[in-house]
């Protein structure tokens, strides 16, 4: 696992002009669009490496579909998970926050297949083979017609075009992709296939140790 201080890393969100803040605004816009277009009734959500839950909780606070959202946020860092848990409680949403390794597939049992799957802040911190593994496992997490929102930097060698191919091979249709000139990548894919059975004993990735 990475030795990075993830609580300190999140401090960049305090700067509205930081790359993280700008990317967050785009991710939140895509989540908002997904919720706005969701069919009536419960909306199931899972978030991998959820951090403080800023992406999802920032949208749900005041959103008209807030009461319909159910699901699970998985975050290893106990401080970040606690912040997400307290904020979810404060805004009155029915979300479970699990403090645990988001790479372990067992943490998603009972919460998938979901209508909205968030893979934000994951692909830029794991190896290419693990990115491929997570995308290949996405049919285990996503309901038919469900949406995946994901992020990945656009530094060279740019993996995003290959990620698009991996999603297509897994039965997903591209809905939206941010422009490369933004410096970050935010993608939205819709699952057109049939959900696969969740394999409970898988480790989907390991964080790259960036010191």
């Amino acid at each position: 696992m990475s030795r990075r201080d993830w609580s300190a890393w999140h401090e960049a969100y305090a700067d509205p002009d930081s790359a993280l803040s700008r990317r967050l605004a785009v991710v939140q816009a895509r989540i908002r669009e997904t919720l706005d277009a969701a069919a009536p009734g419960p909306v199931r959500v899972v978030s991998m490496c959820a951090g403080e839950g800023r992406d999802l909780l920032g949208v749900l606070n005041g959103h008209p579909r807030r009461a319909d959202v159910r699901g699970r946020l998985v975050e290893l860092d106990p401080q970040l998970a606690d912040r997400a848990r307290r904020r979810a409680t404060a805004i009155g949403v029915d979300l479970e926050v699990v403090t645990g390794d988001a790479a372990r597939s067992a943490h998603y049992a009972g919460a998938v297949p979901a209508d909205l799957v968030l893979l934000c802040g994951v692909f830029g911190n794991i190896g290419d083979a693990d990115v491929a593994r997570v995308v290949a496992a996405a049919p285990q997490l996503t309901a038919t017609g469900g949406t995946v929102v994901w992020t990945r930097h656009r530094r060279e060698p740019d993996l995003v075009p290959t990620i698009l191919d991996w999603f297509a091979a897994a039965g997903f249709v591209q809905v939206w992709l941010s422009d490369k000139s933004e410096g970050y990548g935010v993608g939205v894919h819709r699952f057109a296939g049939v959900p696969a059975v969740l394999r409970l004993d898988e480790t989907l990735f390991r964080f790259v140790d960036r010191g």
Side-chain angles (χ1 to χ4, degrees), residues 34-147:
T34 300
L35 294 178
D36 290 345
V43 180
R44 297 161 297 176
V45 180
V46 294
S47 179
M48 180 181 289
C49 301
E52 299 172 320
R54 287 175 181 255
D55 45 14
L56 179 61
L57 297 176
V59 174
L60 292 181
N61 190 13
H63 194 278
R65 297 299 301 276
R66 176 177 60 185
D68 293 329
V69 174
R70 308 280 188 276
R72 185 175 300 163
L73 283 64
V74 184
E75 169 57 44
L76 180 63
D77 187 288
Q79 289 183 308
L80 297 178
D82 186 59
R83 292 175 197 170
R85 193 175 292 112
R86 286 188 279 111
R87 188 173 187 192
T89 299
I91 65 176
V93 293
D94 187 11
L95 288 170
E96 177 187 12
V97 180
V98 171
T99 304
D101 186 356
R104 299 303 304 271
S105 59
H107 283 311
Y108 304 97
V112 297
D115 303 301
L116 174 61
V117 176
L118 302 178
L119 305 176
C120 300
V122 180
F123 292 167
N125 295 291
I126 62 179
D128 293 1
D130 282 351
V131 176
R133 186 175 294 109
V134 173
V135 174
Q140 299 177 41
L141 307 176
T142 317
T144 300
T147 299

